[in-house]
Amino acid sequence: MTATHDLAGFQLASPHRPAVVVDASTADDVVAAVREAAEGGQAVGVQATGHGRSVAIDGGVLINTAGMAQVSVDPDTRVARAEAGARWGDVVAAAAKHGLAPLNGSAPTVGVVGYTLGGGLGLLARQYGYAADHVRAVEIVTADGQERRVTATEDADLFWALRGAGANFGVVTAIEIDLVPLDRLYGGTLIFDTDQIPAVIDAYRTWTRTVPEQLTSSLITLPMPDIPQIPEPIRGRFVARVHVAYTGDAATGEQLVEPLRAVGPRLIDSLGDLPYTESHTIYNEPTMPHAYIGDNRRLRELDPAMLNEIFAISGPDAPVMCVVDIRHLGAAASREPGVPNAVHRDDSPYLLRILSPFSAEDADQVAEVHRRFFAAAQPWATGRALNFVYRPGASATETELREIYGDAGYDRLRALKARYDPANLFRINHNIVP
């Protein structure tokens, strides 16, 4: 254990300032750290890899699990085991050797465990559901300092809770997840210029009502920086990006996206057949740490008037930078999995997100733009998704947590929290208070 005064992660808006940092390389290190923290009544936070949580620790014990990053794949059972510090890029590469793929997200640098514990809404969500739906086992150290291997038959209530709210119940040291037989997909990005955005949004709204569940997509509007690292056709422009991942054959994929291409010329059109190891190029997300704030709502429909209003609020005339993301849900993302979990789902076919760079100087202005944005969407809102609540430094409120888990789910989680962590040792997260 070593003392520290400042420790930043990917989310620079809320750096950690723990009293003690534990660089764990084994589960035994985690056990020792949790027991010592419990004896001293100190809060426990976890920093693994990837993008991490936005809730910061001030004092207490921070367990860094980056040194626990082993990944193994059993091709016969189609199961991968990933330690707490593993990233999705590691699992994708290991699974690809056997013609398999995990249910990863859009960025290879995201940590496997944090993403999955929060639900995990990924590239193939409409076909396969959430990553949490495909967990076989969780290895965890709970607040009593005990190692547990939690499955559908061993600690079944805890298994339900971990798959959707896991950061509240202990320090996960490894996770076992199902893989799917997939080595390629049809995917990429269509990028349209500013004046085409209203037509793109309208076409996307109509198009998503028709596509099969093997196709998962999103529509993003954002300003592209005017810097050399950005491809010249889109540099300095406000654009709409449609991201597509389709597991069927490329010829059918070409037919399916024709209504989007019919909108007009594209600044960039990268759609084509991809090895799954290149699936991260669909979104091509930034890898450098930065400060950001964001939130989301599930929507029961994409009302045209609402879409016009939110684009007026967040588009090229917005006073702050806004990245707006509309993700197509439904299909498997709306169905209950064979082994239920804490991820709340309904038949809402869309998820609406907004994200902005964060700094103390423009915090009030960003907050006001986001407030207006979600006020415009509220008549169609049905809830939130945990993994996309980016709240620098602070936990979601009880009202917000009920929107994430539903009333029945939240009440069940509170009861389980009182059983497994009555002292709320694990509170450096979007905290469920026992």
Side-chain angles (χ1 to χ4, degrees):
M1 294 186 181
T2 56
T4 188
H5 298 291
D6 184 85
L7 188 66
F10 188 86
Q11 165 60 288
L12 299 183
S14 52
H16 295 301
R17 294 183 175 85
V20 175
V21 175
V22 178
D23 289 319
S25 57
T26 67
D28 288 342
D29 293 338
V30 175
V31 168
V34 170
R35 289 178 178 176
E36 184 169 326
E39 289 173 3
Q42 295 178 289
V44 175
V46 181
Q47 185 177 46
T49 51
H51 293 185
R53 287 287 183 216
S54 56
V55 178
I57 184 170
D58 189 1
V61 176
L62 183 67
I63 301 174
N64 187 300
T65 60
M68 304 169 64
Q70 290 188 352
V71 172
S72 60
V73 171
D74 184 333
D76 295 325
T77 60
R78 295 179 181 171
V79 171
R81 180 182 181 273
E83 290 188 334
R87 303 186 187 209
W88 277 120
D90 304 324
V91 183
V92 169
K97 296 175 183 177
H98 308 284
L100 301 171
L103 299 179
N104 54 291
S106 54
T109 54
V110 167
V112 175
V113 168
Y115 167 92
T116 305
L117 296 184
L121 186 66
L123 294 173
L124 310 178
R126 281 177 40 80
Q127 183 170 359
Y128 293 106
Y130 289 82
D133 301 342
H134 299 270
V135 175
R136 290 283 191 95
V138 180
E139 298 170 29
I140 187 172
V141 178
T142 45
D144 56 6
Q146 299 299 311
E147 285 187 76
R148 301 171 186 259
R149 186 176 186 277
V150 182
T151 69
T153 57
E154 301 172 65
D155 286 320
D157 284 342
L158 183 57
F159 189 60
W160 174 86
L162 289 173
R163 294 170 301 132
N168 276 278
F169 292 91
V171 182
V172 172
T173 57
I175 194 167
E176 294 177 14
I177 54 174
D178 288 323
L179 303 172
V180 298
L182 185 68
D183 60 4
R184 43 73 54 200
L185 51 73
Y186 174 84
T189 307
L190 302 173
I191 304 182
F192 297 87
D193 209 349
T194 311
D195 60 354
Q196 296 172 293
I197 290 178
V200 173
I201 292 174
D202 187 60
Y204 185 77
R205 182 178 65 86
T206 303
W207 177 73
T208 50
R209 296 172 178 169
T210 68
V211 297
E213 63 183 58
Q214 291 79 15
L215 194 155
T216 303
S217 67
S218 70
L219 167 66
I220 296 177
T221 61
L222 77 165
M224 302 302 300
D226 189 6
I227 57 176
Q229 292 87 342
I230 301 298
E232 193 280 330
I234 60 174
R235 188 181 304 159
R237 296 177 181 269
F238 194 99
V239 302
R241 303 169 57 115
V242 181
H243 303 279
V244 173
Y246 173 60
T247 58
D249 63 86
T252 305
E254 288 283 307
Q255 294 172 4
L256 287 170
V257 301
E258 182 54 34
L260 298 177
R261 284 182 167 146
V263 170
R266 281 79 62 197
L267 298 172
I268 290 178
D269 184 337
S270 67
L271 289 177
D273 211 55
L274 293 173
Y276 198 79
T277 51
E278 297 298 314
S279 60
H280 63 277
T281 63
I282 294 173
Y283 281 78
N284 198 27
E285 293 183 324
T287 58
M288 293 297 293
H290 54 285
Y292 52 94
I293 184 170
D295 208 337
N296 68 92
R297 299 291 189 277
R298 292 192 306 274
L299 299 179
R300 60 174 170 264
E301 65 174 288
L302 293 181
D303 178 78
M306 180 268 291
L307 291 171
N308 289 338
E309 186 172 0
I310 65 170
F311 182 64
I313 293 167
S314 61
D317 297 328
V320 296
M321 177 180 176
C322 296
V323 179
V324 174
D325 180 5
I326 301 171
R327 300 210 171 195
H328 189 201
L329 303 180
S334 294
R335 296 193 289 263
E336 285 293 332
V339 180
N341 56 46
V343 177
H344 182 67
R345 63 200 84 202
D346 52 30
D347 59 0
S348 299
Y350 301 99
L351 181 77
L352 174 68
R353 303 172 53 212
I354 187 170
L355 181 146
S356 295
F358 178 85
S359 69
E361 291 75 19
D362 62 6
D364 290 343
Q365 195 170 33
V366 169
E368 176 59 17
V369 170
H370 287 205
R371 184 198 66 76
R372 292 173 54 218
F373 181 90
F374 285 117
Q378 189 57 37
W380 295 271
T382 62
R384 281 178 165 91
L386 177 65
N387 275 359
F388 297 125
V389 178
Y390 304 132
R391 184 73 47 76
S395 170
T397 66
E398 179 176 343
T399 297
E400 291 166 340
L401 289 169
R402 288 186 178 276
E403 292 174 345
I404 290 169
Y405 298 112
D407 286 333
Y410 182 72
D411 290 340
R412 182 179 178 185
L413 287 168
R414 285 197 66 193
L416 290 170
K417 180 78 171 183
R419 185 199 307 178
Y420 287 99
D421 184 16
N424 204 14
L425 190 70
F426 302 110
R427 56 184 180 271
I428 311 303
N429 47 57
H430 290 303
N431 190 223
I432 297 165
V433 179

